[in-house]
Amino acid sequence: MKTSRTKVMLLSLVAVLAIFLTACGSKSSNNKSNEQASFKNEPATTKHTDVKSTILSGDGFWYLAGKINHKSNSGLEAIAFDKSSGKATMYNVDKFYKSYSAAKNAKALNKEGTVKYTFTTNKQNQTLIKLSGKLSGIDMTQTVTIKDTTKGTNKATKLHLSGYHATRDVDMDKTNVVFVETN
């Protein structure tokens, strides 16, 4: 009788274990298909030409912020690129806006200055955006090194943002930022 009980318990344990492993296996494959689906909309590359054309398309209004859900008492920096002149106007804004015209209509554009910009690449084939000129009457050189793509929704404004993770270098002070626009 003990032998038959032991066999029944072992068979029950094996059956439970098989069901558990099957459930775990199917759940992990579902997660993988969901992950793949979410990345299909991401740009496949951050090649220099793709980055430059993306930044200069549309109204060319981009934000430099600590993260997509950036919170700061002093606001965040916005840059309006003018592809015809090779200059960019830098602003301080209180939040993310749907477009340049929306920020202008809200009278939220606090102009810091107009600078020249250039796009180059470094040895790692990453796009570098060099901004140089005067901000608030002070000479400034800033380099934004574009890394990989990012996207998300800003909780406060409910705006969808997409763009790039980047490193911002101002006077040898490097910080990690997002360089994003609204969609």
Side-chain angles (χ1 to χ4, degrees):
M1 185 125 176
K2 275 187 172 181
T3 310
S4 63
R5 276 189 181 170
T6 305
K7 285 181 183 178
V8 169
M9 285 190 56
L10 279 174
L11 286 173
S12 299
L13 183 61
V14 168
V16 168
L17 187 58
I19 292 170
F20 176 75
L21 290 175
T22 304
C24 288
S26 68
K27 185 170 182 162
S28 92
S29 70
N30 284 345
N31 285 344
K32 286 182 182 176
S33 69
N34 289 344
E35 280 178 15
Q36 289 171 350
S38 68
F39 285 112
K40 287 181 181 175
N41 295 331
E42 289 282 337
T45 181
T46 54
K47 289 183 181 175
H48 174 69
T49 53
D50 295 341
V51 172
K52 183 177 178 180
S53 63
T54 300
I55 291 170
L56 297 179
S57 67
D59 65 2
F61 193 60
W62 286 73
Y63 297 94
L64 274 169
K67 54 188 176 180
I68 288 177
N69 284 300
H70 181 78
K71 291 183 181 177
S72 171
N73 293 333
S74 61
L76 53 123
E77 195 165 50
I79 304 170
F81 290 91
D82 182 348
K83 61 184 166 190
S84 63
S85 70
K87 293 185 178 183
T89 305
M90 300 182 79
Y91 300 97
N92 184 282
V93 294
D94 58 342
K95 64 179 183 175
F96 292 106
Y97 287 89
K98 179 74 176 159
S99 63
Y100 174 78
S101 57
K104 189 175 181 180
N105 289 341
K107 297 184 187 308
L109 298 172
N110 298 314
K111 185 176 177 179
E112 295 176 342
T114 301
V115 297
K116 291 182 181 181
Y117 68 85
T118 56
F119 288 88
T120 59
T121 56
N122 62 12
K123 291 178 185 175
Q124 293 81 27
N125 204 29
Q126 296 169 317
T127 301
L128 304 176
I129 306 167
K130 184 177 180 181
L131 303 158
S132 60
K134 290 190 178 214
L135 288 185
S136 303
I138 300 170
D139 285 334
M140 181 274 318
T141 300
Q142 178 176 170
T143 303
V144 178
T145 305
I146 302 299
K147 305 283 184 166
D148 55 349
T149 58
T150 186
K151 66 180 181 177
T153 302
N154 178 266
K155 292 176 185 172
T157 62
K158 309 280 190 272
L159 291 173
H160 300 285
L161 304 167
S162 64
Y164 307 97
H165 289 283
T167 301
R168 177 185 193 178
D169 184 348
V170 180
D171 299 328
M172 304 299 282
D173 182 19
K174 293 183 179 182
T175 55
N176 291 323
V177 295
V178 292
F179 188 58
V180 292
E181 68 175 342
T182 56
N183 338 19

